[in-house]
Amino acid sequence: MKTYQSMSKEELTSLKTDLEAKYKKFQEMGLKLDMSRGKPSVEQLDISMGMMDVLNSDVSLICEEGVDCRNYGILDGIKEARELLGAISEVPADNIIIYGNSSLNIMYDTVSRSMTHGVMGSTPWCKLDKVKFLCPVPGYDRHFAITEHFGIEMINVPMTTDGPDMDLVEELVSSDASIKGIWCVPKYSNPQGITYSEETVKRFARLKPAAKDFRIYWDNAYNVHHLYEDQHDFCLEILAECEKAGNPDIVYKFTSTSKISFPGSGVAAIATSKNNLADIRKQLALQTIGHDKLNQLRHVRYFKSLDDVHAHMKKHADIMRPKFEAVIDILEKELGGLGIASWIKPRGGYFISFESMDGCAKDIVAKAKDAGVVMTGAGATYPYGKDPHDSNIRIAPSFPTLDELKQAAELFVLCVKLVSVEKLLA
Ligand SMILES: Cc1ncc(COP(=O)(O)O)c(C=O)c1O
């Protein structure tokens, strides 16, 4: 196999003609496919339909604490929901507050509260000249959108296969008091599917921030979202590590059942130290009399234990795994050895992260779109939508059917080849 870089101008020109003809055929097919967002497929939503039957007018709607879930009350969420979400995120129920339907909503709220009211008595961020966040890249566009919305300056920190570059994180966090947070997706990260190593988690727990109101935003969105039964990634539990390191208040851990039960209709939670929880409650008690306890009840009646959750996630994996493998197979078969692309084969989560040659990602995504396949916008995985190398593309294989996905992936690799040839000829 010859790399594109080793081809002569004549070889590349002839290859381009051939690829253009294939691309034209795709355009004529009138495809309408979407690989842009990490949405579960209809088949995956169907797995959770039993949850719709666990509550009805004949069953008791009283939770374990004896409270009628049809009525107001229990600001922190019902005990059995705190236990379930605690088990999913590996923390004691006492360290959890259940919110509403979205963990992203909790993250937004947490940043917003820090802006207006500060963190545990410190100066509200809005009164400071400058507030900065560290952003491991590539990362999750909706995290970056929150901090951008509040005018927080974002600093890129490169990801390694062990997690964020911790030398850089330690140096920046310990020397700059305007750095107030870092966005993290520690397990099966969005978009790379990387799980932070034990050493990385320990280094996070031992950080010595210049700002006492610095917090790690630990978004545990994919903790139980394995693709392979025999190859579960392991991520050290950070709350316990922070406590051991004498840094108990440094982390907020977020989780939800969005990609376990129903996205947008699941249960979301924050897990953190007792001090942080007390700080959060001061605001929460004014925001709401309590979140949706009937939805909490529905979840705990359906998932009676963590084992039930794992068995359920295996059903998701059985649908997701062939899709991931189909895309990876096509990438390997069509692009392997050409010297124009690289990618990471994840063992869990929702995404495949793809690297093209520098300066090609935007053109590849545009070409795919012109032939009917929508990808996540190039640049979206970086703060401000600016990928300095214009090389990262997030592939989201969950939503299309397997057949649609194969077609979309075939078109995608064709676009990668075509844009790479154009770039090398330019
Ligand atoms: C890393 C990450 N966090 C959070 C979310 C959204 O979570 P929720 O539905 O709980 O708001 C997603 C959804 O794709 C995600 O990838």
Side-chain angles (χ1 to χ4, degrees):
M1 174 95 47
K2 224 172 171 182
T3 66
Y4 276 25
Q5 285 83 355
S6 65
M7 286 185 186
S8 67
K9 197 171 170 201
E10 289 68 32
E11 283 174 310
L12 285 171
T13 309
S14 135
L15 179 60
K16 182 166 174 265
T17 310
D18 179 42
L19 294 168
E20 277 167 349
K22 287 186 177 143
Y23 180 71
K24 196 155 175 288
K25 281 205 182 120
F26 265 107
Q27 277 183 313
E28 286 160 7
M29 284 163 72
L31 296 177
K32 264 200 170 66
L33 303 173
D34 193 337
M35 287 208 290
S36 69
R37 302 256 29 132
K39 273 164 65 165
S41 61
V42 175
E43 213 185 341
Q44 285 176 270
L45 302 178
D46 287 344
I47 299 174
S48 304
M49 283 308 284
M51 188 178 285
M52 293 289 102
D53 301 326
V54 294
L55 297 192
N56 60 54
S57 58
D58 295 329
V59 304
S60 164
L61 299 172
I62 312 286
C63 68
E64 281 174 16
E65 291 147 288
V67 171
D68 189 336
C69 289
R70 296 171 303 175
N71 217 332
Y72 281 140
I74 320 193
L75 187 64
D76 282 8
I78 64 174
K79 181 167 159 283
E80 48 272 53
R82 284 188 290 108
E83 281 167 356
L84 179 70
L85 274 284
I88 291 171
S89 44
E90 302 163 284
V91 299
D94 284 350
N95 288 94
I96 291 237
I97 291 179
I98 305 282
Y99 272 67
N101 65 319
S102 153
S103 60
L104 202 67
N105 193 182
I106 314 177
M107 295 175 229
Y108 182 99
D109 224 36
T110 308
V111 173
S112 172
R113 184 181 56 250
S114 308
M115 290 296 294
T116 55
H117 289 76
V119 178
M120 277 170 51
S122 68
T123 309
W125 295 352
C126 68
K127 296 200 171 142
L128 303 174
D129 289 339
K130 192 90 185 145
V131 176
K132 300 178 195 158
F133 252 61
L134 301 186
C135 299
V137 288
Y140 179 35
D141 54 351
R142 291 186 189 271
H143 285 163
F144 305 152
I146 292 175
T147 24
E148 182 172 5
H149 177 68
F150 285 101
I152 294 172
E153 184 182 318
M154 293 180 278
I155 301 170
N156 292 358
V157 173
M159 280 289 286
T160 73
T161 49
D162 285 329
D165 175 343
M166 290 309 291
D167 289 343
L168 188 57
V169 171
E170 285 167 353
E171 185 196 319
L172 291 171
V173 166
S174 63
S175 62
D176 185 347
S178 66
I179 295 176
K180 303 296 188 189
I182 179 166
W183 288 117
C184 293
V185 185
K187 190 143 168 202
Y188 302 132
S189 68
N190 178 350
Q192 291 170 301
I194 287 174
T195 297
Y196 294 9
S197 70
E198 276 192 49
E199 182 57 20
T200 298
V201 177
K202 285 186 173 155
R203 288 176 76 175
F204 264 113
R206 292 194 298 252
L207 281 176
K208 295 193 173 27
K212 71 176 191 318
D213 51 350
F214 169 88
R215 294 291 182 272
I216 303 161
Y217 284 61
W218 199 256
D219 181 356
N220 210 22
Y222 300 111
N223 203 34
V224 290
H225 302 60
H226 316 285
L227 285 172
Y228 296 93
E229 203 36 31
D230 55 342
Q231 292 177 58
H232 288 190
D233 280 9
F234 167 77
C235 185
L236 206 57
E237 199 293 294
I238 189 149
L239 242 65
E241 283 308 309
C242 291
E243 199 161 323
K244 271 192 240 162
N247 247 343
D249 300 328
I250 203 179
V251 65
Y252 300 126
K253 194 167 174 178
F254 305 93
T255 194
S256 83
T257 67
S258 273
K259 287 166 182 175
I260 298 175
S261 57
F262 297 116
S265 304
V267 177
I270 188 167
T272 187
S273 70
K274 302 272 168 67
N275 288 336
N276 282 324
L277 289 181
D279 196 40
I280 290 167
R281 274 190 207 102
K282 283 186 211 153
Q283 181 206 35
L284 195 60
L286 305 173
Q287 278 184 307
T288 179
I289 310 176
H291 287 105
D292 182 348
K293 291 190 295 302
L294 290 173
N295 196 30
Q296 295 171 28
L297 201 60
R298 196 181 287 131
H299 277 75
V300 297
R301 296 259 168 100
Y302 188 64
F303 298 116
K304 295 198 169 55
S305 66
L306 185 60
D307 284 346
D308 285 355
V309 174
H310 284 308
H312 190 81
M313 292 315 291
K314 194 171 167 304
K315 293 184 197 163
H316 279 292
D318 289 342
I319 297 170
M320 294 276 275
R321 195 172 46 250
K323 295 186 179 183
F324 274 74
E325 288 182 347
V327 174
I328 296 283
D329 281 354
I330 290 169
L331 294 178
E332 279 169 3
K333 187 162 77 50
E334 294 295 331
L335 300 175
L338 298 184
I340 54 173
S342 63
W343 53 89
I344 299 176
K345 182 173 187 255
R347 287 186 291 268
Y350 261 70
F351 304 100
I352 297 167
S353 183
F354 181 90
E355 291 289 329
S356 68
M357 293 193 324
D358 281 12
C360 290
K362 274 202 167 68
D363 290 347
I364 292 168
V365 170
K367 266 214 166 36
K369 190 167 178 215
D370 279 348
V373 173
V374 181
M375 316 278 306
T376 308
T381 51
Y382 281 75
Y384 311 106
K386 286 188 192 146
D387 173 355
H389 295 281
D390 185 24
S391 63
N392 185 255
I393 299 173
R394 186 182 79 164
I395 302 174
S398 57
F399 193 72
T401 64
L402 191 55
D403 284 344
E404 288 171 342
L405 189 67
K406 285 181 185 164
Q407 253 184 345
E410 294 286 358
L411 170 68
F412 175 71
V413 292
L414 181 61
C415 295
V416 174
K417 290 180 188 176
L418 192 48
V419 171
S420 306
V421 170
E422 285 168 357
K423 182 91 189 162
L424 288 166
L425 282 171

